[in-house]
mmCIF file of all heavy atoms in Angstrom:
data_model
loop_
_atom_site.group_PDB
_atom_site.id
_atom_site.type_symbol
_atom_site.label_atom_id
_atom_site.label_comp_id
_atom_site.label_asym_id
_atom_site.label_seq_id
_atom_site.Cartn_x
_atom_site.Cartn_y
_atom_site.Cartn_z
ATOM 1 N N ALA A 187 168.573 120.643 153.527
ATOM 2 C CA ALA A 187 168.939 120.652 154.913
ATOM 3 C C ALA A 187 167.795 121.271 155.753
ATOM 4 O O ALA A 187 167.476 120.780 156.797
ATOM 5 C CB ALA A 187 170.276 121.385 155.102
ATOM 6 N N GLY A 188 167.183 122.330 155.205
ATOM 7 C CA GLY A 188 166.051 122.973 155.896
ATOM 8 C C GLY A 188 164.915 122.043 156.095
ATOM 9 O O GLY A 188 164.253 122.011 157.216
ATOM 10 N N LYS A 189 164.627 121.205 155.133
ATOM 11 C CA LYS A 189 163.539 120.240 155.262
ATOM 12 C C LYS A 189 163.880 119.149 156.293
ATOM 13 O O LYS A 189 163.035 118.733 157.069
ATOM 14 C CB LYS A 189 163.238 119.551 153.881
ATOM 15 C CG LYS A 189 162.628 120.536 152.943
ATOM 16 C CD LYS A 189 162.465 119.920 151.538
ATOM 17 C CE LYS A 189 161.891 120.897 150.572
ATOM 18 N NZ LYS A 189 161.751 120.303 149.152
ATOM 19 N N ALA A 190 165.199 118.748 156.303
ATOM 20 C CA ALA A 190 165.597 117.776 157.263
ATOM 21 C C ALA A 190 165.475 118.400 158.694
ATOM 22 O O ALA A 190 165.057 117.724 159.681
ATOM 23 C CB ALA A 190 167.003 117.341 157.047
ATOM 24 N N TYR A 191 165.869 119.648 158.917
ATOM 25 C CA TYR A 191 165.722 120.278 160.200
ATOM 26 C C TYR A 191 164.187 120.360 160.570
ATOM 27 O O TYR A 191 163.830 120.033 161.704
ATOM 28 C CB TYR A 191 166.225 121.754 160.105
ATOM 29 C CG TYR A 191 167.680 121.878 160.343
ATOM 30 C CD1 TYR A 191 168.448 122.533 159.338
ATOM 31 C CD2 TYR A 191 168.260 121.476 161.549
ATOM 32 C CE1 TYR A 191 169.844 122.715 159.586
ATOM 33 C CE2 TYR A 191 169.639 121.687 161.759
ATOM 34 C CZ TYR A 191 170.451 122.336 160.747
ATOM 35 O OH TYR A 191 171.761 122.486 160.986
ATOM 36 N N ALA A 192 163.317 120.654 159.591
ATOM 37 C CA ALA A 192 161.936 120.727 159.899
ATOM 38 C C ALA A 192 161.354 119.431 160.296
ATOM 39 O O ALA A 192 160.566 119.332 161.349
ATOM 40 C CB ALA A 192 161.149 121.323 158.680
ATOM 41 N N ALA A 193 161.643 118.350 159.649
ATOM 42 C CA ALA A 193 161.143 117.011 159.995
ATOM 43 C C ALA A 193 161.686 116.637 161.384
ATOM 44 O O ALA A 193 160.995 116.051 162.167
ATOM 45 C CB ALA A 193 161.484 116.024 158.914
ATOM 46 N N THR A 194 162.870 116.952 161.684
ATOM 47 C CA THR A 194 163.505 116.649 162.968
ATOM 48 C C THR A 194 162.802 117.422 164.064
ATOM 49 O O THR A 194 162.427 116.821 165.099
ATOM 50 C CB THR A 194 164.970 116.995 162.967
ATOM 51 O OG1 THR A 194 165.666 116.236 161.949
ATOM 52 C CG2 THR A 194 165.638 116.668 164.334
ATOM 53 N N LEU A 195 162.383 118.687 163.826
ATOM 54 C CA LEU A 195 161.665 119.458 164.799
ATOM 55 C C LEU A 195 160.301 118.824 165.042
ATOM 56 O O LEU A 195 159.820 118.809 166.161
ATOM 57 C CB LEU A 195 161.567 120.914 164.304
ATOM 58 C CG LEU A 195 162.753 121.740 164.465
ATOM 59 C CD1 LEU A 195 162.728 122.984 163.546
ATOM 60 C CD2 LEU A 195 162.987 122.099 165.918
ATOM 61 N N LEU A 196 159.645 118.365 163.979
ATOM 62 C CA LEU A 196 158.286 117.735 164.113
ATOM 63 C C LEU A 196 158.359 116.500 165.025
ATOM 64 O O LEU A 196 157.428 116.207 165.757
ATOM 65 C CB LEU A 196 157.788 117.279 162.762
ATOM 66 C CG LEU A 196 157.058 118.352 161.951
ATOM 67 C CD1 LEU A 196 156.654 117.709 160.587
ATOM 68 C CD2 LEU A 196 155.911 118.948 162.655
ATOM 69 N N GLU A 197 159.547 115.822 165.080
ATOM 70 C CA GLU A 197 159.654 114.587 165.873
ATOM 71 C C GLU A 197 159.400 114.943 167.375
ATOM 72 O O GLU A 197 158.866 114.112 168.102
ATOM 73 C CB GLU A 197 161.040 113.988 165.736
ATOM 74 C CG GLU A 197 161.251 113.318 164.393
ATOM 75 C CD GLU A 197 162.693 112.882 164.202
ATOM 76 O OE1 GLU A 197 163.568 113.150 165.027
ATOM 77 O OE2 GLU A 197 162.936 112.145 163.164
ATOM 78 N N ARG A 198 159.679 116.099 167.809
ATOM 79 C CA ARG A 198 159.515 116.555 169.211
ATOM 80 C C ARG A 198 158.011 116.760 169.596
ATOM 81 O O ARG A 198 157.657 116.521 170.706
ATOM 82 C CB ARG A 198 160.127 117.915 169.459
ATOM 83 C CG ARG A 198 161.634 117.887 169.444
ATOM 84 C CD ARG A 198 162.232 119.256 169.854
ATOM 85 N NE ARG A 198 161.922 119.494 171.250
ATOM 86 C CZ ARG A 198 161.359 120.570 171.749
ATOM 87 N NH1 ARG A 198 160.960 121.473 170.912
ATOM 88 N NH2 ARG A 198 161.135 120.702 173.009
ATOM 89 N N VAL A 199 157.227 117.165 168.596
ATOM 90 C CA VAL A 199 155.832 117.587 168.923
ATOM 91 C C VAL A 199 154.754 116.735 168.249
ATOM 92 O O VAL A 199 153.607 116.726 168.783
ATOM 93 C CB VAL A 199 155.599 119.074 168.605
ATOM 94 C CG1 VAL A 199 156.426 119.977 169.397
ATOM 95 C CG2 VAL A 199 155.821 119.292 167.124
ATOM 96 N N ASP A 200 155.087 116.047 167.200
ATOM 97 C CA ASP A 200 154.052 115.268 166.482
ATOM 98 C C ASP A 200 154.735 114.096 165.722
ATOM 99 O O ASP A 200 155.061 114.230 164.520
ATOM 100 C CB ASP A 200 153.318 116.196 165.514
ATOM 101 C CG ASP A 200 152.102 115.508 164.911
ATOM 102 O OD1 ASP A 200 151.942 114.298 164.967
ATOM 103 O OD2 ASP A 200 151.247 116.261 164.385
ATOM 104 N N PRO A 201 155.108 113.037 166.483
ATOM 105 C CA PRO A 201 155.775 111.928 165.826
ATOM 106 C C PRO A 201 155.130 111.349 164.555
ATOM 107 O O PRO A 201 155.832 111.021 163.587
ATOM 108 C CB PRO A 201 155.848 110.837 166.901
ATOM 109 C CG PRO A 201 155.797 111.698 168.195
ATOM 110 C CD PRO A 201 154.889 112.789 167.898
ATOM 111 N N ALA A 202 153.802 111.335 164.542
ATOM 112 C CA ALA A 202 153.116 110.829 163.349
ATOM 113 C C ALA A 202 153.322 111.766 162.171
ATOM 114 O O ALA A 202 153.582 111.314 161.031
ATOM 115 C CB ALA A 202 151.598 110.685 163.654
ATOM 116 N N ALA A 203 153.262 113.035 162.425
ATOM 117 C CA ALA A 203 153.511 114.002 161.332
ATOM 118 C C ALA A 203 154.978 113.938 160.863
ATOM 119 O O ALA A 203 155.306 114.090 159.661
ATOM 120 C CB ALA A 203 153.140 115.431 161.771
ATOM 121 N N ALA A 204 155.863 113.683 161.831
ATOM 122 C CA ALA A 204 157.327 113.573 161.463
ATOM 123 C C ALA A 204 157.524 112.342 160.599
ATOM 124 O O ALA A 204 158.210 112.455 159.551
ATOM 125 C CB ALA A 204 158.080 113.473 162.752
ATOM 126 N N ARG A 205 156.915 111.235 160.952
ATOM 127 C CA ARG A 205 157.088 110.042 160.071
ATOM 128 C C ARG A 205 156.518 110.293 158.641
ATOM 129 O O ARG A 205 157.135 109.893 157.673
ATOM 130 C CB ARG A 205 156.314 108.834 160.711
ATOM 131 C CG ARG A 205 157.089 108.248 161.929
ATOM 132 C CD ARG A 205 156.587 106.913 162.312
ATOM 133 N NE ARG A 205 156.758 105.828 161.294
ATOM 134 C CZ ARG A 205 157.873 105.243 160.951
ATOM 135 N NH1 ARG A 205 159.034 105.680 161.530
ATOM 136 N NH2 ARG A 205 157.887 104.268 160.044
ATOM 137 N N LYS A 206 155.416 110.998 158.577
ATOM 138 C CA LYS A 206 154.811 111.299 157.301
ATOM 139 C C LYS A 206 155.780 112.223 156.535
ATOM 140 O O LYS A 206 155.958 112.051 155.273
ATOM 141 C CB LYS A 206 153.444 111.969 157.472
ATOM 142 C CG LYS A 206 152.756 112.292 156.167
ATOM 143 C CD LYS A 206 151.360 112.897 156.399
ATOM 144 C CE LYS A 206 150.670 113.220 155.158
ATOM 145 N NZ LYS A 206 149.405 113.876 155.308
ATOM 146 N N ALA A 207 156.303 113.214 157.199
ATOM 147 C CA ALA A 207 157.272 114.097 156.556
ATOM 148 C C ALA A 207 158.496 113.355 156.045
ATOM 149 O O ALA A 207 158.922 113.490 154.875
ATOM 150 C CB ALA A 207 157.693 115.233 157.500
ATOM 151 N N TRP A 208 159.119 112.468 156.894
ATOM 152 C CA TRP A 208 160.250 111.712 156.513
ATOM 153 C C TRP A 208 159.882 110.808 155.289
ATOM 154 O O TRP A 208 160.729 110.697 154.354
ATOM 155 C CB TRP A 208 160.814 110.897 157.649
ATOM 156 C CG TRP A 208 161.550 111.686 158.737
ATOM 157 C CD1 TRP A 208 161.264 111.708 160.004
ATOM 158 C CD2 TRP A 208 162.660 112.554 158.518
ATOM 159 N NE1 TRP A 208 162.169 112.530 160.688
ATOM 160 C CE2 TRP A 208 163.014 113.009 159.788
ATOM 161 C CE3 TRP A 208 163.448 112.890 157.377
ATOM 162 C CZ2 TRP A 208 164.070 113.918 159.943
ATOM 163 C CZ3 TRP A 208 164.479 113.746 157.590
ATOM 164 C CH2 TRP A 208 164.808 114.249 158.851
ATOM 165 N N ALA A 209 158.725 110.192 155.313
ATOM 166 C CA ALA A 209 158.292 109.385 154.197
ATOM 167 C C ALA A 209 158.187 110.142 152.914
ATOM 168 O O ALA A 209 158.596 109.623 151.860
ATOM 169 C CB ALA A 209 156.945 108.710 154.554
ATOM 170 N N GLY A 210 157.669 111.351 153.000
ATOM 171 C CA GLY A 210 157.641 112.214 151.833
ATOM 172 C C GLY A 210 158.980 112.658 151.301
ATOM 173 O O GLY A 210 159.148 112.931 150.087
ATOM 174 N N LEU A 211 159.955 112.740 152.188
ATOM 175 C CA LEU A 211 161.296 113.151 151.782
ATOM 176 C C LEU A 211 162.133 111.959 151.232
ATOM 177 O O LEU A 211 163.190 112.238 150.615
ATOM 178 C CB LEU A 211 162.054 113.791 152.993
ATOM 179 C CG LEU A 211 161.392 115.088 153.465
ATOM 180 C CD1 LEU A 211 162.122 115.498 154.744
ATOM 181 C CD2 LEU A 211 161.467 116.148 152.415
ATOM 182 N N ARG A 212 161.642 110.808 151.310
ATOM 183 C CA ARG A 212 162.418 109.622 150.796
ATOM 184 C C ARG A 212 162.571 109.583 149.301
ATOM 185 O O ARG A 212 163.368 108.856 148.719
ATOM 186 C CB ARG A 212 161.730 108.287 151.217
ATOM 187 C CG ARG A 212 162.039 107.901 152.599
ATOM 188 C CD ARG A 212 161.516 106.495 152.888
ATOM 189 N NE ARG A 212 160.154 106.469 152.511
ATOM 190 C CZ ARG A 212 159.318 105.526 152.836
ATOM 191 N NH1 ARG A 212 159.797 104.465 153.515
ATOM 192 N NH2 ARG A 212 158.042 105.519 152.494
ATOM 193 N N ASP A 213 161.745 110.421 148.555
ATOM 194 C CA ASP A 213 161.863 110.484 147.120
ATOM 195 C C ASP A 213 162.707 111.595 146.618
ATOM 196 O O ASP A 213 162.809 111.825 145.401
ATOM 197 C CB ASP A 213 160.476 110.628 146.562
ATOM 198 C CG ASP A 213 159.585 109.333 146.817
ATOM 199 O OD1 ASP A 213 160.147 108.253 146.895
ATOM 200 O OD2 ASP A 213 158.342 109.560 146.947
ATOM 201 N N ASP A 214 163.335 112.286 147.521
ATOM 202 C CA ASP A 214 164.183 113.475 147.164
ATOM 203 C C ASP A 214 165.662 113.214 147.177
ATOM 204 O O ASP A 214 166.258 112.737 148.181
ATOM 205 C CB ASP A 214 163.816 114.581 148.174
ATOM 206 C CG ASP A 214 164.301 115.980 147.720
ATOM 207 O OD1 ASP A 214 165.366 116.029 147.083
ATOM 208 O OD2 ASP A 214 163.589 116.958 148.126
ATOM 209 N N ASP A 215 166.248 113.349 146.009
ATOM 210 C CA ASP A 215 167.697 113.022 145.897
ATOM 211 C C ASP A 215 168.603 114.318 146.064
ATOM 212 O O ASP A 215 169.805 114.252 145.817
ATOM 213 C CB ASP A 215 167.984 112.449 144.516
ATOM 214 C CG ASP A 215 167.599 110.924 144.526
ATOM 215 O OD1 ASP A 215 167.784 110.310 145.550
ATOM 216 O OD2 ASP A 215 167.102 110.483 143.483
ATOM 217 N N ASP A 216 167.959 115.438 146.483
ATOM 218 C CA ASP A 216 168.837 116.639 146.746
ATOM 219 C C ASP A 216 169.778 116.366 147.915
ATOM 220 O O ASP A 216 169.466 115.716 148.870
ATOM 221 C CB ASP A 216 167.920 117.825 147.018
ATOM 222 C CG ASP A 216 167.117 118.316 145.825
ATOM 223 O OD1 ASP A 216 167.622 118.078 144.707
ATOM 224 O OD2 ASP A 216 166.118 118.901 146.061
ATOM 225 N N GLU A 217 170.977 116.888 147.721
ATOM 226 C CA GLU A 217 172.052 116.639 148.712
ATOM 227 C C GLU A 217 172.299 117.817 149.623
ATOM 228 O O GLU A 217 171.984 118.942 149.306
ATOM 229 C CB GLU A 217 173.388 116.361 148.031
ATOM 230 C CG GLU A 217 173.481 114.998 147.374
ATOM 231 C CD GLU A 217 174.851 114.728 146.791
ATOM 232 O OE1 GLU A 217 175.539 115.671 146.401
ATOM 233 O OE2 GLU A 217 175.236 113.537 146.813
ATOM 234 N N PHE A 218 172.852 117.563 150.802
ATOM 235 C CA PHE A 218 173.280 118.526 151.710
ATOM 236 C C PHE A 218 174.468 118.027 152.499
ATOM 237 O O PHE A 218 174.754 116.810 152.467
ATOM 238 C CB PHE A 218 172.119 118.984 152.664
ATOM 239 C CG PHE A 218 171.505 117.822 153.370
ATOM 240 C CD1 PHE A 218 171.942 117.486 154.733
ATOM 241 C CD2 PHE A 218 170.455 117.071 152.865
ATOM 242 C CE1 PHE A 218 171.317 116.463 155.314
ATOM 243 C CE2 PHE A 218 169.800 116.043 153.487
ATOM 244 C CZ PHE A 218 170.294 115.758 154.783
#
Side-chain angles (χ1 to χ4, degrees):
K189 290 175 182 178
Y191 277 122
T194 302
L195 285 160
L196 276 179
E197 290 174 350
R198 290 186 69 236
V199 295
D200 190 342
R205 285 194 63 74
K206 183 177 178 184
W208 287 124
L211 295 173
R212 281 188 306 192
D213 295 330
D214 195 325
D215 283 323
D216 289 335
E217 288 187 326
F218 55 94

